[in-house]
Amino acid sequence: MDFKEQFPVLKDYTYLNTASSGIIAESIQQWRRSHDDQFVMQGSKFRVQQADFLQDVRQTVSRFLHGNIENTFLTQNFSLAFNTFLDGLARSHRFLLIASDYPSVNYPVESRGFSCAYADLDEHLEQNILDKIITFRPTVLAISLVQYINGIKINLGFLKRLKAQNPDLLIVADGTQFCGTEDFNFEQSGLDVLISSGYKWMLAGYGNGFVLIKDTVYPYLYQERVGLALPKEPFLKDRKLLSLCFEPGHLDTLNFGTLKQSILLFEEVGLDFIQNRIETVGKIAKQAFAERGLLSKEVAQRADHSAIFNITADVELIKRIDAADILTLQRGAGLRVAFHFYNDEQDLEKLLKVID
């Protein structure tokens, strides 16, 4: 596949800003045009089969992430779904969060008055979590799988062991900076809940995301509504409680259809290729940045890392990078760069040339 033909933005820019916004493929844009053309020509008739269409999207998401379709829900973005999840929990829950995690993770927990503690975000992240579990005894761990500010990635094997050792601990993850970077098996993971927006590494544009939960989570959510009558209208009669909570109102077939099309594109490219490309370029980039003293100690000393980096950059360097048509984003005290499967070593070399 010619990535510059599939992603036209790559013809004009070196795109290292996926951590801020993924890009749309030309084939997906053609599908979106066709979708809206049909809506223009058919009006309400176009929506007659929307229930089957959206169920097919759920099936595609659950297949892609190895989840259970019965426990897969569509959402407009991470924040809406995470807030819905929190509103279904008893207020007695105690949350362990990561210091400096994405505000969409930490603020909704804090603002609802849950008891909270924080694990430091540094090279010892996993040990910090273990230490806090001993001293704070949380009932929920809420964490971004990949930290937006510097790309630190939680060890997935650690989460699986943590769940095995603490079966009553709910582990809830934001996958927005993770999903789309490797083949991930939700059912075999240590996660109880995975929520993600689709506009970053999933390359699915805005207004779509998904929720995957495990069967064991049901007894924790909206227990005060269990036993109450559900809607009996024909168009709602087959909906279950959590479906009504996570998927209220209408769902946009354009946005969620785009999510399905992006997953099909990922499967065409090949998840093995995607994971290998991201890991290969990411490791080379980490070494190159570390050799130049551009990484923080906590990132440089991590054995494993994502393909997101926050590098030291002054105003003049940022101007040079912009002038070279390299798209990045200032985040925190540095410049954030990210490498997806459409990036290669030449993209990294171009950036390093500007830095040097």
Side-chain angles (χ1 to χ4, degrees):
M1 181 182 293
D2 186 332
F3 292 141
K4 287 188 176 181
E5 290 299 323
Q6 186 66 276
F7 300 98
V9 67
L10 302 180
K11 296 178 182 179
D12 297 320
Y13 299 99
T14 300
Y15 199 85
L16 304 183
N17 201 24
T18 302
S20 177
S21 176
I23 55 181
I24 290 289
E26 177 62 30
S27 60
I28 293 177
Q29 177 61 8
Q30 291 174 5
W31 178 88
R32 288 166 64 94
R33 290 193 193 99
S34 174
H35 173 282
D36 277 358
D37 285 344
Q38 292 178 62
F39 188 26
V40 168
M41 298 304 296
Q42 299 177 19
S44 62
K45 183 180 179 181
F46 178 69
R47 290 279 297 185
V48 170
Q49 301 299 323
Q50 58 92 18
D52 292 338
F53 179 96
L54 293 167
Q55 183 67 359
D56 187 49
V57 176
R58 295 184 195 94
Q59 177 67 57
T60 303
V61 171
S62 64
R63 182 186 72 240
F64 183 70
L65 292 164
H66 306 282
N68 181 347
I69 188 172
E70 297 299 323
N71 296 336
T72 301
F73 307 98
L74 303 178
T75 183
Q76 286 78 7
N77 55 59
F78 166 82
S79 295
L80 283 173
F82 186 53
N83 279 268
T84 299
F85 170 79
L86 294 176
D87 287 340
L89 289 176
R91 286 296 180 267
S92 58
H93 278 287
R94 297 162 59 83
F95 275 78
L96 178 57
L97 305 171
I98 308 302
S100 302
D101 205 338
Y102 198 53
S104 292
V105 176
N106 286 2
Y107 175 72
V109 176
E110 297 161 343
S111 65
R112 282 168 170 78
F114 286 107
S115 179
C116 301
Y118 301 85
D120 289 337
L121 178 62
D122 60 25
E123 64 270 30
H124 308 297
L125 175 59
E126 289 80 5
Q127 186 59 50
N128 297 338
I129 291 173
L130 289 176
D131 293 343
K132 284 294 182 179
I133 286 176
I134 293 172
T135 59
F136 180 66
R137 305 187 70 82
T139 59
V140 183
L141 169 64
I143 182 174
S144 294
L145 294 179
V146 174
Q147 294 296 312
Y148 83 106
I149 197 73
N150 57 15
I152 286 180
K153 177 182 176 183
I154 189 74
N155 184 288
L156 298 178
F158 163 78
L159 289 181
K160 189 169 185 177
R161 293 190 297 274
L162 181 66
K163 182 63 181 181
Q165 296 164 3
N166 301 270
D168 294 330
L169 176 69
L170 281 178
I171 302 180
V172 185
D174 175 8
T176 304
Q177 297 285 14
F178 168 78
C179 293
T181 64
E182 63 182 73
D183 189 8
F184 179 70
N185 191 314
F186 173 72
E187 286 296 324
Q188 293 183 10
S189 76
L191 304 183
D192 295 291
V193 181
L194 173 65
I195 309 174
S196 178
S197 294
Y199 71 98
K200 293 183 185 288
W201 299 81
M202 291 296 297
L203 310 182
Y206 292 80
N208 62 65
F210 46 83
V211 183
L212 283 80
I213 69 172
K214 290 181 178 171
D215 290 333
T216 51
V217 176
Y218 279 80
Y220 292 92
L221 294 177
Y222 293 98
Q223 287 305 289
E224 74 282 1
R225 300 187 191 181
V226 174
L228 297 179
L230 297 175
K232 295 181 174 59
E233 287 77 9
F235 56 91
L236 293 174
K237 64 180 180 64
D238 294 327
R239 299 279 295 275
K240 296 180 179 179
L241 174 59
L242 288 191
S243 171
L244 292 167
C245 294
F246 283 113
E247 299 181 344
H250 75 274
L251 296 175
D252 184 0
T253 53
L254 176 67
N255 290 339
F256 290 108
T258 301
L259 175 61
K260 176 189 172 181
Q261 293 301 313
S262 186
I263 290 175
L264 295 179
L265 177 63
F266 274 61
E267 292 172 340
E268 179 183 352
V269 173
L271 287 172
D272 288 342
F273 171 85
I274 290 171
Q275 182 169 343
N276 182 67
R277 169 66 68 85
I278 292 173
E279 289 180 352
T280 298
V281 177
K283 287 178 180 178
I284 296 172
K286 184 184 178 187
Q287 180 178 349
F289 295 149
E291 290 172 350
R292 290 164 172 79
L294 299 175
L295 298 179
S296 64
K297 175 176 69 73
E298 54 264 28
V299 170
Q301 294 186 3
R302 294 277 295 180
D304 296 315
H305 193 70
S306 71
I308 300 173
F309 302 91
N310 196 308
I311 62 175
T312 303
D314 58 24
V315 174
E316 289 305 313
L317 176 56
I318 292 173
K319 288 181 179 178
R320 294 203 308 271
I321 291 173
D322 287 342
D325 291 329
I326 302 174
L327 297 186
T328 61
L329 186 71
Q330 287 182 262
R331 268 284 186 248
L335 191 70
R336 189 179 65 186
V337 299
F339 301 89
H340 208 338
F341 70 81
Y342 42 68
N343 298 119
D344 56 23
E345 292 180 46
Q346 291 182 337
D347 294 334
L348 173 61
E349 289 170 2
K350 180 179 179 180
L351 175 63
L352 294 175
K353 185 177 180 180
V354 175
I355 291 173
D356 294 338

